[in-house]
Amino acid sequence: GSERVCVTTQRKEINKDEYSVIGLKIMNIIDPPQNQPAINFEIRITPPNGPPTGLLGYNKNNQPIVKAPDFDGLIVVPDERSIDLEKYEERNLGFAVQVPKNAPSGTYILNVEVKANGAIYPPVHKVYIEVT
């Protein structure tokens, strides 16, 4: 549609020890600075900032799921990337989300943040991964 950043799904169910691919589309509507052919876009997929520290999501009782010594969260590949887009150019990308065997059941939150030449390129999307 007319959105600058689109994510294929806002909510995805993934079983433990499995993975799924989430699609992302970016459309550049910014004029590049003079003498530059394109705008640099940085994409980062991160867990929420908290509180509490290390927040990853919430279990079925609405209690926080946080990082632990034996569990660092969902595995996102790639969790960062950089691309250049000319004005009105669009690019389809994807990132894989893997759920470790020892992941607690619940709803995990991933923030999809895009920056254009270092400035936030709104909106920041949230993807909710349901682990049962």
Side-chain angles (χ1 to χ4, degrees):
S2 61
E3 288 191 46
R4 303 187 271 182
V5 178
C6 298
V7 179
T8 56
T9 184
Q10 301 299 138
R11 192 168 293 277
K12 183 83 173 183
E13 186 174 316
I14 307 174
N15 295 323
K16 293 178 185 184
D17 206 25
E18 293 185 6
Y19 75 94
S20 186
V21 175
I22 309 289
L24 173 68
K25 182 176 193 170
I26 299 173
M27 179 176 68
N28 178 21
I29 62 167
I30 301 173
D31 285 315
Q34 196 169 23
N35 300 325
Q36 282 188 2
I39 297 284
N40 178 258
F41 286 84
E42 296 173 18
I43 302 102
R44 291 186 58 212
I45 316 296
T46 61
N49 295 332
T53 302
L55 179 68
L56 301 169
Y58 296 92
N59 66 21
K60 66 179 181 176
N61 297 324
N62 209 28
Q63 296 300 310
I65 299 171
V66 295
K67 291 182 181 184
D70 63 338
F71 179 67
D72 200 33
L74 304 180
I75 301 164
V76 178
V77 179
D79 60 350
E80 291 186 14
R81 71 167 48 147
S82 177
I83 61 170
D84 292 331
L85 296 175
E86 295 178 7
K87 187 167 184 180
Y88 301 123
E89 185 179 1
E90 298 176 358
R91 181 85 48 93
N92 293 317
L93 308 166
F95 58 94
V97 179
Q98 182 178 356
V99 178
K101 282 189 253 192
N102 64 340
S105 296
T107 302
Y108 291 78
I109 305 164
L110 296 174
N111 293 325
V112 180
E113 179 182 275
V114 178
K115 289 186 178 181
N117 277 1
I120 293 290
Y121 195 66
V124 172
H125 285 274
K126 293 192 180 300
V127 176
Y128 300 91
I129 306 297
E130 302 284 343
V131 177
T132 53

